[in-house]
Amino acid sequence: MRAVDLIEKKRNKEELSKEEISFLLNEYLKGNVPDYQMSAFLMATYFNDMTAGELLEFTTIMRDSGDIVKFDDVDKFLVDKHSTGGVGDKVTVVLAPILSALGMGTTKLSGKGLGHTGGTIDKFESIEGFRFSNTREEVVSIANKTGIGLMGYSDKIVPLDKKLYSLRDVTGTVPSIPLIASSIMSKKLAIQSDIIILDVKVGDGAFMKDINQAKELAKRMIEIGSGRQVKAVLSNMDEPLGYAIGNANEIVEAIETLKGNGPEDLNEVVYTIALLSLKAKGEIKDLSEGKKKIDEVINNGSALEKLSQFITESGGNGNLVNDYSLLPQPKEVMEVLSAKEGYVSKIKAEEIGKAAMIIGAGRATKEDLIDHAVGIKILKKVGDKVNKNEKIAEIYYNDSKNVEDSKNMLLDAYVIQEEKVEKQKAILEIIE
Ligand code: URA
């Protein structure tokens, strides 16, 4: 078999056999197919898509390129919630303790932020002493004590995705539905869980800019996972989730949500995913039934206690859930005032994510170091009325180098119009 023949087949919209896909991917992993040939194949895929059969085979070979992690020794109903990446997305930090307080467990891989999107690892690493587990044994030990099993990505799990993603990143082939679907699902299928819930973000700050694309991505990921229980929610990313964008400040917002003071949109996403989990576990028949159970673990403090335990077990000081001064603090605050009066119709989430990145809250490249103390707080959401010169955001920073640019990006991100605007729903669709 020759790689060039397989590239030509994909270019000509012919279907590749299982053997052909296996040859291409396995030889690429071994270094026998060079990057330039794989790049051509990825670009041909970008334009010509994959059939369902090709996609399943592609994903299976990616999954099997590394370790498969089993959690048979965690005696809980296990939920793996995955977000396709957003701005202000601290859902895992809130959801995992809630699921734990409800008697379930979380087992999932968590990532670092890149570009305008944040990552769960970075948010938790704002906590002094916190160490992300990298081995199965550590994750099992913490998950058995706290119900929360978050594991950092390692080179041993789906190494093929790492290699392919780096290539896609520099060849303009990231935003391809089959390539995103196989990349995400190969990692989901490499980790044992009882249900996979995909939070597919839609809008300005997401890979999927419109709802039809997002539906297609969700549908194809569910198809790939047909041997497992997979559900999806489509959630709005035409504004950041919640008010805090950064790292330490997102931990504070997550804690406040566990104390019952959460922003409406963050609550909506967290509750919906928790309800889907309760239903999958068989505790409720209909999504309308379980809200009280979730309210209870928030109101009685048990979900917050789970987060505190998880922080302590991971090497941090769990008391910080009641003492935010234990988190890194920024030195300076800059206020951002609205340039005009009207109603907020959109907050370009990607622009907000970049405004946070350039002051140090995120990374432009994988090698960049981040400053966990800095970030942005937006004070107005879509649908809110603003007056001219009213404060719409605050920038928390340590280094003033890019702060003016950050402010201008924030001003540009706020789209304000004269006519009244409806508040947006956070959950656009549930695909069960
Ligand atoms: N997240 C992934 O893990 N892979 C992609 O290709 C896109 C988002």
Side-chain angles (χ1 to χ4, degrees):
M1 230 180 265
R2 296 187 318 155
V4 61
D5 298 327
L6 309 184
I7 297 166
E8 285 176 8
K9 245 181 140 172
K10 183 49 60 198
R11 184 198 64 195
N12 297 341
K13 302 187 182 161
E14 291 165 42
E15 184 170 19
L16 271 72
S17 69
K18 280 186 176 186
E19 293 70 30
E20 287 169 331
I21 291 173
S22 162
F23 168 83
L24 187 69
L25 288 182
N26 286 321
E27 292 306 308
Y28 176 63
L29 187 61
K30 285 188 225 154
N32 297 334
V33 168
D35 277 351
Y36 54 80
Q37 283 191 307
M38 188 49 88
S39 305
F41 182 82
L42 293 172
M43 191 55 88
T45 302
Y46 176 91
F47 283 110
N48 293 339
D49 205 345
M50 286 188 200
T51 64
E54 284 177 324
L55 184 56
L56 184 60
E57 189 58 20
F58 200 87
T59 311
T60 306
I61 293 178
M62 282 176 72
R63 178 198 68 189
D64 293 343
S65 66
D67 294 352
I68 305 283
V69 187
K70 298 265 188 203
F71 291 110
D72 293 323
D73 40 2
V74 182
D75 187 18
K76 285 192 161 57
F77 182 84
L78 299 174
V79 180
D80 181 349
K81 187 282 303 178
H82 178 87
S83 154
T84 56
V87 179
D89 182 358
K90 67 279 293 173
V91 170
T92 298
V93 186
V94 186
L95 179 74
I98 289 178
L99 294 178
S100 172
L102 289 168
M104 292 178 267
T106 296
T107 40
K108 75 184 293 295
L109 289 175
S110 287
K112 294 197 173 207
L114 186 61
H116 68 281
T117 61
T120 301
I121 292 187
D122 300 322
K123 299 182 211 297
F124 275 114
E125 283 185 349
S126 4
I127 299 168
E128 196 186 336
F130 189 102
R131 259 195 64 254
F132 239 87
S133 306
N134 277 318
T135 66
R136 200 198 78 87
E137 287 62 37
E138 276 180 324
V139 177
V140 168
S141 159
I142 297 179
N144 273 325
K145 288 181 197 149
T146 69
I148 304 174
L150 304 185
M151 187 165 178
Y153 281 102
S154 86
D155 290 349
K156 293 194 179 145
I157 299 165
V158 197
L160 192 48
D161 179 60
K162 197 168 183 199
K163 200 167 173 196
L164 278 176
Y165 197 91
S166 308
L167 192 61
R168 285 168 59 206
D169 210 18
V170 291
T171 55
T173 51
V174 168
S176 148
I177 287 181
L179 296 178
I180 296 176
S182 55
S183 165
I184 292 176
M185 288 307 288
S186 60
K187 289 172 289 198
K188 297 294 98 189
L189 298 176
I191 302 284
Q192 185 187 342
S193 63
D194 294 300
I195 183 170
I196 298 165
I197 303 181
L198 303 163
D199 178 5
V200 181
K201 303 286 185 196
V202 190
D204 182 85
F207 280 114
M208 299 293 113
K209 304 290 178 205
D210 80 71
I211 188 136
N212 292 327
Q213 283 180 322
K215 257 189 226 173
E216 170 73 9
L217 176 62
K219 200 186 97 216
R220 299 202 76 178
M221 290 197 286
I222 290 172
E223 228 169 65
I224 294 170
S226 60
R228 299 266 296 265
Q229 189 167 197
V230 187
K231 315 268 178 221
V233 297
L234 307 186
S235 72
N236 180 29
M237 207 20 83
D238 265 338
E239 62 179 334
L241 192 60
Y243 293 89
I245 300 101
N247 293 288
N249 60 342
E250 290 202 35
I251 292 286
V252 173
E253 189 168 71
I255 294 170
E256 284 298 316
T257 305
L258 289 171
K259 291 179 180 173
N261 310 320
E264 226 173 282
D265 54 352
L266 177 58
N267 272 329
E268 194 185 331
V269 176
V270 168
Y271 270 66
T272 304
I273 298 175
L275 289 169
L276 282 168
S277 309
L278 282 169
K279 187 170 170 204
K281 190 182 172 215
E283 286 205 17
I284 55 171
K285 287 209 177 62
D286 190 273
L287 296 188
S288 60
E289 287 172 27
K291 184 175 175 295
K292 258 184 153 163
K293 287 179 192 271
I294 304 170
D295 285 343
E296 197 178 315
V297 296
I298 291 181
N299 295 337
N300 68 17
S302 56
L304 185 67
E305 181 56 28
K306 294 288 182 191
L307 179 65
S308 174
Q309 281 170 5
F310 174 66
I311 293 171
T312 304
E313 288 297 330
S314 305
N317 182 346
N319 293 331
L320 72 81
V321 299
N322 289 312
D323 180 0
Y324 301 147
S325 71
L326 294 170
L327 284 163
Q329 307 293 324
K331 289 200 206 88
E332 310 282 347
V333 184
M334 177 184 273
E335 297 187 341
V336 182
L337 307 183
S338 177
K340 59 186 207 187
E341 181 183 328
Y343 293 88
V344 180
S345 64
K346 184 172 179 164
I347 306 172
K348 297 178 204 158
E350 182 164 352
E351 197 78 354
I352 300 271
K354 286 184 183 153
M357 181 186 80
I358 63 169
I359 54 162
R363 318 183 165 73
T365 71
K366 279 189 207 124
E367 290 71 36
D368 287 352
L369 291 177
I370 61 175
D371 181 346
H372 293 97
V374 306
I376 286 170
K377 182 174 187 184
I378 56 169
L379 301 168
K380 297 284 180 183
K381 299 276 285 183
V382 169
D384 286 347
K385 166 105 179 48
V386 289
N387 296 315
K388 191 168 173 169
N389 288 330
E390 188 179 351
K391 193 159 59 159
I392 51 173
E394 288 173 341
I395 306 175
Y396 301 92
Y397 64 100
N398 283 324
D399 181 347
S400 60
K401 197 169 111 212
N402 291 326
V403 73
E404 272 299 324
D405 285 347
S406 176
K407 178 178 144 191
N408 290 331
M409 287 165 87
L410 269 163
L411 283 169
D412 181 57
Y414 266 88
V415 182
I416 295 170
Q417 66 178 45
E418 277 179 20
E419 308 78 49
K420 220 169 179 323
V421 180
E422 287 296 311
K423 277 225 165 288
Q424 297 190 331
K425 281 197 76 60
I427 297 290
L428 306 170
E429 197 160 324
I430 299 174
I431 306 177
E432 284 195 74

